[in-house]
């Protein structure tokens, strides 16, 4: 079995302000530092290095809730999402073969009279995307955001493979999606990843 050196980025979302402008630069520095540590942990053994960030990592946090005010993730525009994609590709390229499970990007774009809101978890390696996993589960954040947002999703398989290791990916309350998907996909999943803002499990 190949060796996996795994790091998880722990953050306090309550310390995030409404403006996430510096997050890409901070993440880039964190990734380079983590990569150096994980290379030491890997010790030249065949396998993979991985860093996992939490759900809503790229969101600004502010007041949401149209009925009951609460602190929560703010949906960004589609252009901001693409700016994060560009920054992630640059960071991933510098980190080489490190696998980045880069948290999630909560964004919206025009769709008819309302805007559609999406939550996507990008996975990258060597400066390229391995997967853009769209969260299926609606946790209610979209409807609590300012404006009129309808939660939506896009088709994406919750699976990728690196160095002979099969990874299954779930986001927040869609826990169980992986088992349902794999009942017909028939993939060998060695590592299950759950990226979540909060979760009872």
């Amino acid at each position: 079995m190949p060796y996996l050196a795994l790091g998880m980025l722990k953050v306090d979302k309550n310390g995030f302000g409404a403006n996430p402008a510096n997050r890409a630069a901070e993440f880039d520095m964190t990734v380079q530092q983590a990569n150096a540590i994980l290379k030491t942990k890997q010790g030249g053994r065949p396998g993979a290095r991985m860093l996992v960030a939490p759900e809503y990592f790229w969101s600004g946090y502010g007041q949401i809730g149209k009925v009951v005010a609460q602190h929560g993730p703010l949906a960004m525009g589609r252009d901001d999402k693409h700016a994060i994609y560009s920054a992630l590709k640059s960071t991933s390229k510098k980190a080489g073969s490190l696998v980045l499970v880069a948290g999630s990007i909560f964004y919206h774009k025009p769709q008819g009279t309302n805007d559609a809101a999406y939550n996507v978890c990008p996975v990258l390696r060597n400066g390229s995307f391995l997967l853009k996993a769209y969260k299926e589960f609606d946790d209610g954040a979209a409807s609590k955001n300012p404006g009129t947002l309808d939660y939506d999703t896009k088709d994406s398989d919750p699976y990728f493979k690196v160095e002979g290791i099969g990874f299954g990916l779930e986001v927040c309350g869609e826990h169980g999606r992986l088992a349902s998907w794999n009942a017909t996909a028939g993939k060998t999943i060695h590592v299950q990843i759950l990226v979540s803002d909060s979760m009872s499990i």
Side-chain angles (χ1 to χ4, degrees):
M1 179 73 185
Y3 183 82
L4 174 63
L6 175 66
M8 291 181 287
L9 179 58
K10 183 179 179 181
V11 298
D12 180 3
K13 65 184 178 183
N14 295 310
F16 283 174
N19 184 354
N22 293 326
R23 205 152 303 154
E26 294 167 353
F27 187 67
D28 184 87
M29 182 176 66
T30 299
V31 168
Q32 306 318 319
Q33 292 172 341
N35 195 29
I37 294 168
L38 292 169
K39 280 182 179 178
T40 300
K41 294 287 186 186
Q42 188 176 7
R45 287 172 280 197
R49 302 181 313 284
M50 175 180 285
L51 179 65
V52 181
E55 183 185 16
Y56 293 126
F57 177 78
W58 297 99
S59 297
Y61 272 77
Q63 183 171 304
I64 64 172
K66 294 173 182 173
V67 177
V68 178
Q70 56 193 271
H71 191 239
L74 300 168
M76 67 183 68
R78 189 168 177 262
D79 289 345
D80 292 327
K81 179 202 74 167
H82 283 294
I84 292 171
Y85 276 176
S86 295
L88 284 173
K89 287 169 73 174
S90 175
T91 294
S92 174
K93 188 173 183 179
K94 285 191 278 186
S97 60
L98 175 73
V99 178
L100 279 179
V101 180
S104 78
I105 303 170
F106 182 42
Y107 73 98
H108 66 95
K109 67 178 184 178
Q111 181 174 295
T113 56
N114 297 346
D115 275 16
Y118 300 91
N119 195 358
V120 59
C121 179
V123 180
L124 303 93
R125 191 183 194 214
N126 292 313
S128 298
F129 290 100
L130 297 176
L131 176 65
K132 294 176 184 175
Y134 278 83
K135 177 180 172 180
E136 293 183 345
F137 175 75
D138 180 4
D139 62 12
S143 64
K144 294 174 186 174
N145 260 247
T148 306
L149 304 183
D150 295 325
Y151 190 76
D152 204 351
T153 188
K154 297 181 182 182
D155 289 338
S156 56
D157 291 339
Y159 173 83
F160 61 97
K161 190 173 183 178
V162 174
E163 303 295 343
I165 306 172
F167 295 92
L169 176 61
E170 295 173 319
V171 183
C172 190
E174 67 179 18
H175 184 57
R177 172 189 178 197
L178 184 60
S180 298
W181 173 84
N182 205 36
T184 54
K187 300 292 186 181
T188 299
I189 297 172
H190 302 101
V191 179
Q192 181 179 2
I193 303 166
L194 178 61
V195 174
S196 185
D197 177 58
S198 62
M199 189 61 160
S200 61
I201 63 169

